[in-house]
Amino acid sequence: QVQLVESGGGSVQTGGSLTLSCTISGYSYWSLCMGWFRQAPGKEREGVAVMIRDGPTGYADSVKGRFTISHDKAKNTLYLQLNDLKPEDTALYYCAADLDRERAPGTYRPSHCMSTKEYNYWGQGTQVTVSS
């Protein structure tokens, strides 16, 4: 019943910008992590930008200062703003969420959410291609 639907991917030139959206439905509890991951051909899926509920955020070193993650509660939508795009950013981008399961109380750092193991739901992926 949980669905994550991504949109906004496309092809741009170096230095261009894109905004990715992920609408999330069918859940009742944001357990801990939401985020964006990417996967290039022949490579493992890597964390790009993550958020703990509606609080702290974290970014991969390769995108820090260029990408911004945000969440709109009213629209149940997770966003990723990608600026100053580089060819190395070319990949299939996935949104992901940790939903409807128990978490131990305590303080978590955003870095905790950079692992794919922290997520139980994934979108279908949207392609970002950066040329020249």
Side-chain angles (χ1 to χ4, degrees), residues 63-121:
V63 308
K64 196 168 187 176
R66 299 188 297 121
F67 294 5
T68 303
I69 186 172
S70 62
H71 181 248
D72 188 323
K73 281 186 177 180
K75 296 181 179 180
N76 288 120
T77 301
L78 188 72
Y79 298 95
L80 184 67
Q81 178 65 46
L82 303 83
N83 294 327
D84 191 24
L85 283 161
K86 304 175 180 180
E88 305 90 87
D89 297 318
T90 296
L92 191 64
Y93 283 70
Y94 298 88
C95 63
D98 175 23
L99 306 170
D100 298 335
R101 60 184 178 182
E102 297 285 337
R103 286 284 193 173
T107 300
Y108 293 86
R109 297 177 183 273
S111 59
H112 180 83
C113 298
M114 293 293 287
S115 170
T116 59
K117 296 180 179 180
E118 298 301 320
Y119 300 86
N120 55 355
Y121 291 99

Side-chain angles (χ1 to χ4, degrees), residues 1 18 23 25 29-30 32 46-49 54-55 63 66-67 75 87 95 100-101 106 108-109 115 126:
Q1 59 183 353
L18 287 171
T23 58
S25 62
Y29 182 68
W30 181 357
L32 186 68
E46 64 173 350
V48 175
D54 283 311
V63 308
R66 299 188 297 121
F67 294 5
K75 296 181 179 180
C95 63
D100 298 335
R101 60 184 178 182
Y108 293 86
R109 297 177 183 273
S115 170
T126 185

Side-chain angles (χ1 to χ4, degrees), residues 16 34 38 40 76 81 128:
M34 285 190 183
R38 66 187 182 187
N76 288 120
Q81 178 65 46
V128 171

